[in-house]
Amino acid sequence: MQRRVRRVTAVFSAAVASILLSLSLAAVPARAATHNPVIFVHGIRSSASSWDDWIADFEADGYTASELDAWSYDWSQSNVTTAQQLATEVRSVLARTGASKVDLVVHSMGALSARYYLKNLGGTSYVDDFVSTAGVNHGTTVASWCKWLYTSCSEMYTGSSFLTALNSGDETPGSVAYASYWSNCDDLLTPDTSAILSGATNVEVGCISHTDMNNDYGVYQQVRTFVG
């Protein structure tokens, strides 16, 4: 009889423990969503290493290395070719991370290939936030020094056919959230207001040099908040 009582007691205790465990698990909030992976696109005469400071800042703010993708490309080639390579990079990052969308953070000429991808290659379906820092969105006359040497440079010269087509119609297509951060003393972007995008959140960050725009911590903080 005592053995039967002990057995019934054990079964009852196990059932109670199971119920309490279920209630406990139900009370635990759902796991927070992971960050969108960030793909960084550098500009002319640059490389992935130009993002080292910001990658360290993102990691300090909780991003993992797998969520941060700085890649290098041949900056002398057409921005159309780079946009096609960016499309491949986005697919690779999404497949690797399991994310549904990425954020694009670009500097200088990197804005052109990224925007071409968004406008012409279906990128708006795979990008959540687009951030341009010192982006040559409407060209620069400074490109006159290299437009005879490199296809990419000729495309970013003010009034080029590439820019005319890129900026025709909607400059910020799709449901992507767009932001453009620009300096009022950018000697390499003339005029510096060339960075402004119609339909974007446009932020003048003060007097920061063109080459410092994508490693300045104050600008980083604003970018980090935007991609949130």
Side-chain angles (χ1 to χ4, degrees), residues 49-111:
S49 64
S50 65
W51 299 103
D52 286 354
D53 288 346
W54 278 15
I55 286 177
D57 292 333
F58 271 103
E59 289 180 336
D61 281 342
Y63 279 70
T64 64
S66 64
E67 293 171 330
L68 303 168
D69 182 66
W71 61 293
S72 296
Y73 61 89
D74 179 0
W75 53 261
S76 66
Q77 67 191 4
S78 170
N79 287 288
V80 175
T81 302
T82 302
Q84 294 166 344
Q85 294 172 346
L86 176 58
T88 299
E89 189 73 9
V90 170
R91 289 193 296 270
S92 175
V93 169
L94 292 177
R96 185 180 74 244
T97 61
S100 58
K101 291 191 175 183
V102 302
D103 294 332
L104 294 181
V105 177
V106 308
H107 178 243
S108 190
M109 191 184 71

Side-chain angles (χ1 to χ4, degrees), residues 13-224:
S13 298
V16 171
S18 177
I19 293 171
L20 291 175
L21 177 61
S22 297
L23 292 174
S24 175
L25 291 175
V28 175
R31 184 179 179 182
T34 55
H35 306 106
N36 286 333
V38 181
I39 297 180
F40 300 90
V41 186
H42 63 77
I44 196 168
R45 301 184 70 183
S46 190
S47 68
S49 64
S50 65
W51 299 103
D52 286 354
D53 288 346
W54 278 15
I55 286 177
D57 292 333
F58 271 103
E59 289 180 336
D61 281 342
Y63 279 70
T64 64
S66 64
E67 293 171 330
L68 303 168
D69 182 66
W71 61 293
S72 296
Y73 61 89
D74 179 0
W75 53 261
S76 66
Q77 67 191 4
S78 170
N79 287 288
V80 175
T81 302
T82 302
Q84 294 166 344
Q85 294 172 346
L86 176 58
T88 299
E89 189 73 9
V90 170
R91 289 193 296 270
S92 175
V93 169
L94 292 177
R96 185 180 74 244
T97 61
S100 58
K101 291 191 175 183
V102 302
D103 294 332
L104 294 181
V105 177
V106 308
H107 178 243
S108 190
M109 191 184 71
L112 303 187
S113 57
R115 289 182 56 213
Y116 187 96
Y117 163 65
L118 290 168
K119 181 171 184 174
N120 300 305
L121 301 179
T124 55
S125 297
Y126 305 103
V127 176
D128 188 25
D129 299 312
F130 168 86
V131 175
S132 167
T133 60
V136 193
N137 289 308
H138 294 93
T140 176
T141 57
V142 175
S144 60
W145 72 269
C146 62
K147 68 176 183 174
W148 308 109
L149 299 173
Y150 308 114
T151 301
S152 59
C153 193
S154 66
E155 290 171 345
M156 72 173 180
Y157 184 74
T158 305
S160 71
S161 58
F162 175 89
L163 286 171
T164 299
L166 183 64
N167 292 315
S168 63
D170 190 356
E171 294 185 0
T172 50
S175 58
V176 178
Y178 292 82
S180 179
Y181 297 86
W182 61 284
S183 166
N184 59 12
C185 64
D186 190 333
D187 291 338
L188 296 182
L189 193 58
T190 55
D192 44 34
T193 53
S194 170
I196 294 175
L197 277 174
S198 177
T201 298
N202 293 289
V203 182
E204 181 185 337
V205 297
C207 189
I208 300 173
S209 74
H210 185 83
T211 54
D212 285 340
M213 279 289 287
N214 66 328
N215 56 37
D216 181 89
Y217 186 67
V219 178
Y220 161 77
Q221 289 178 305
Q222 296 182 69
V223 171
R224 172 68 184 88

